[in-house]
Amino acid sequence: MICSTLRRVGHVHIYLVRKASGVSKGHHQQTVGSRPAASEFAAQGASGNVLELLGKSYPQDNYSNLSRKVLSRVGRNLHNQQHHPLWLIKERVKEHFYQQYVGRFGTPLFSVYDDLSPVVTTWQNFDSLLIPADHPSRKKGDNYYVNGTHMLRAHTSAHQWDLLHAGLDAFLVVGDVYRRDQIDSQHYPVFHQLEGVRLFSKHELFTGIKDGESLQLFEQSSRSACKQETHTMEATKLVEFDLKQTLARLVTHLFGDAGAQDQIGWAFGLGLERLAMILYDIPDIRLFWSEDERFLKQFRVSDINQKVKFQPLSKYPAVINDISFWLPSENYTENDFYDLVRTIGGDLVEKVELIDKFEHPKTHKTSHCYRITYRHMERTLSQREVSRVHQAVQEATVQLLGVEGRF
């Protein structure tokens, strides 16, 4: 298993990683069935339905919550689409690591994995990272579950256990990740991560350090199946310094001057959209999914390090509609509503805000009022067109979320 400590610095996730010894745990069997459920609003679970996804079949159950909107994004792999801004960022990071970190035989120290399947087991996504069974990050409201045993990965760290147990000690993983979240210009249910992992043996870490032969990776303490001995202060400080130096070099490259049984290591995670939005002045995360040539042609450059400043497409006017409803007595989450709006409204929806909450003094029922901002990225929307979409949102909210409309 992998024992990892997570710290968050801005939009950079930093892990101290330790790989524990143990026997590889088998992944769950995948059952093949007959009837696809991808065309439904959400594959929520009639037993016997089967979802066909990336060439494999998955039986549906009461954990299944994939929407058409999200399913339409699986397999797009924007980070592998040549000259896409996310591809440019990935290639720039790869180039940096290939040039700066070279192995003993002149080959790149870091291997790169950018085509691993986004469908993983819940064991890979959570248990392999020692995330407890009752941890809130596992909530159905925050993740996209294929069924009770499989899901769309919520982070590229879902592949750490497999890669470490394959014997790798320095690698980059790039891929699309999926999370149910709020709706605004900075959030989208699909985004892309790049993470790096590096492990050091005692010899690698202490070579060149004065009296390094006397230093140890671990203190004298107990080990269990889920936890190693405590690392020594010397080992931790050296790994911390190496991680800081690695990230500082990478940031300078992009922006200019602006634990194992007998190893210790670090890991970091970067959001590619966040980097691209800063580097290229891209104002809205929906643009990454645009197929408009006016957007895409701006990133067809001969040199991946060429500076690109995004030239905005025409800013078309927004159309704003509100929706109010009484919440059901149980089983309502805001992310369910956001996901429903995204599924019906697609990328016409720029933002959804909760603008008012009200509790009735007698019935104690709670009402929510949301403001939905509709804006097309490539043309002007009419109120009539938006009204049809908004009415569909209202009807689906009543039918699928069990609310009582106030419209």
Side-chain angles (χ1 to χ4, degrees):
M1 296 185 194
I2 303 167
C3 302
S4 61
T5 302
L6 168 63
R7 299 185 183 126
R8 184 173 182 184
V9 183
H11 295 299
V12 179
H13 295 271
I14 300 172
Y15 305 78
L16 294 181
V17 176
R18 304 182 293 275
K19 186 177 74 177
S21 60
V23 178
S24 174
K25 184 166 183 174
H27 295 161
H28 299 282
Q29 288 276 326
Q30 297 172 353
T31 304
V32 178
S34 57
R35 285 191 297 147
S39 61
E40 300 175 4
F41 162 68
Q44 296 205 22
S47 294
N49 282 350
V50 171
L51 173 66
E52 304 290 341
L53 189 59
L54 299 179
K56 295 185 178 181
S57 302
Y58 301 93
Q60 304 293 276
D61 57 28
N62 60 2
Y63 247 80
S64 306
N65 66 350
L66 298 183
S67 64
R68 293 193 311 268
K69 173 71 174 180
V70 167
L71 285 171
S72 72
R73 299 314 195 208
V74 178
R76 287 282 300 275
N77 297 326
L78 299 182
H79 60 289
N80 290 334
Q81 181 179 316
Q82 193 171 19
H83 298 298
H84 190 278
L86 299 182
W87 176 85
L88 289 175
I89 296 291
K90 182 196 73 171
E91 291 300 310
R92 292 180 66 181
V93 175
K94 281 173 55 179
E95 179 188 66
H96 171 75
F97 274 86
Y98 284 171
Q99 292 178 351
Q100 293 291 320
Y101 304 96
V102 180
R104 287 179 296 174
F105 304 106
T107 56
L109 178 66
F110 284 81
S111 51
V112 177
Y113 296 86
D114 60 7
D115 60 355
L116 299 175
S117 173
V119 182
V120 299
T121 64
T122 53
W123 188 89
Q124 287 174 296
N125 199 81
F126 298 119
D127 301 270
S128 72
L129 298 167
L130 300 187
I131 297 173
D134 59 351
H135 196 276
S137 67
R138 293 177 179 254
K139 288 191 302 184
K140 185 176 175 181
D142 291 340
N143 299 284
Y144 287 104
Y145 283 93
V146 178
N147 54 36
T149 59
H150 289 78
M151 64 187 296
L152 296 178
R153 62 189 169 205
H155 43 225
T156 49
S157 301
H159 303 289
Q160 278 188 15
W161 193 95
D162 296 303
L163 295 174
L164 289 171
H165 281 73
L168 300 173
D169 56 13
F171 55 85
L172 303 176
V173 182
V174 193
D176 44 339
V177 298
Y178 299 78
R179 296 180 193 172
R180 304 179 87 210
D181 210 339
Q182 63 200 80
I183 301 177
D184 57 36
S185 64
Q186 301 290 317
H187 294 87
Y188 203 80
V190 190
F191 58 102
H192 297 74
Q193 281 188 340
L194 182 151
E195 75 171 66
V197 174
R198 186 177 183 185
L199 299 182
F200 301 86
S201 66
K202 175 182 174 181
H203 173 74
E204 290 170 323
L205 188 63
F206 296 130
T207 294
I209 302 297
K210 184 179 179 181
D211 299 325
E213 63 277 1
S214 65
L215 299 176
Q216 301 295 323
L217 289 182
F218 300 99
E219 295 178 356
Q220 294 298 317
S221 55
S222 61
R223 173 189 290 264
S224 70
C226 294
K227 185 180 182 298
Q228 295 171 299
E229 303 97 318
T230 302
H231 285 298
T232 63
M233 183 62 70
E234 294 85 0
T236 303
K237 285 296 182 184
L238 284 171
V239 172
E240 180 181 358
F241 176 77
D242 188 86
L243 173 58
K244 182 178 179 180
Q245 190 177 54
T246 299
L247 288 175
R249 287 175 178 170
L250 177 59
V251 170
T252 300
H253 173 71
L254 293 175
F255 294 96
D257 294 328
Q261 181 177 1
D262 55 355
Q263 293 172 297
I264 185 173
W266 52 248
F268 67 81
L270 304 171
L272 293 187
E273 279 86 350
R274 292 285 192 265
L275 291 176
M277 292 175 84
I278 295 171
L279 279 170
Y280 304 135
D281 289 337
I282 298 174
D284 194 308
I285 198 169
R286 292 177 298 164
L287 279 165
F288 291 104
W289 297 91
S290 174
E291 297 180 352
D292 191 327
E293 274 295 303
R294 293 175 298 169
F295 173 76
L296 296 173
K297 70 181 181 181
Q298 298 186 42
F299 302 95
R300 295 194 184 111
V301 293
S302 57
D303 181 355
I304 60 174
N305 293 304
Q306 181 177 328
K307 289 188 176 180
V308 178
K309 181 176 174 60
F310 171 66
Q311 300 301 314
L313 310 180
S314 300
K315 187 72 170 180
Y316 295 98
V319 179
I320 297 174
N321 283 260
D322 293 348
I323 179 172
S324 299
F325 47 79
W326 297 106
L327 305 187
S329 57
E330 57 184 12
N331 297 328
Y332 174 84
T333 68
E334 287 190 31
N335 281 345
D336 286 339
F337 177 67
Y338 295 147
D339 205 39
L340 182 149
V341 174
R342 278 201 188 278
T343 298
I344 296 175
D347 286 350
L348 296 184
V349 180
E350 179 178 79
K351 182 167 58 174
V352 178
E353 300 173 273
L354 177 60
I355 61 173
D356 185 58
K357 288 184 180 181
F358 169 72
E359 181 175 334
H360 195 284
K362 294 183 178 179
T363 65
H364 299 291
K365 294 173 64 175
T366 300
S367 170
H368 280 189
C369 179
Y370 295 89
R371 177 154 295 162
I372 304 178
T373 302
Y374 298 90
R375 191 196 308 268
H376 202 288
M377 305 297 292
E378 300 163 11
R379 62 179 175 82
T380 299
L381 289 171
S382 68
Q383 179 62 62
R384 182 177 181 180
E385 180 181 4
V386 170
S387 293
R388 288 197 295 268
V389 175
H390 195 71
Q391 183 175 352
V393 170
Q394 292 175 331
E395 293 172 356
T397 304
V398 172
Q399 294 171 9
L400 298 174
L401 301 186
V403 306
E404 181 183 341
R406 300 181 67 190
F407 33 82

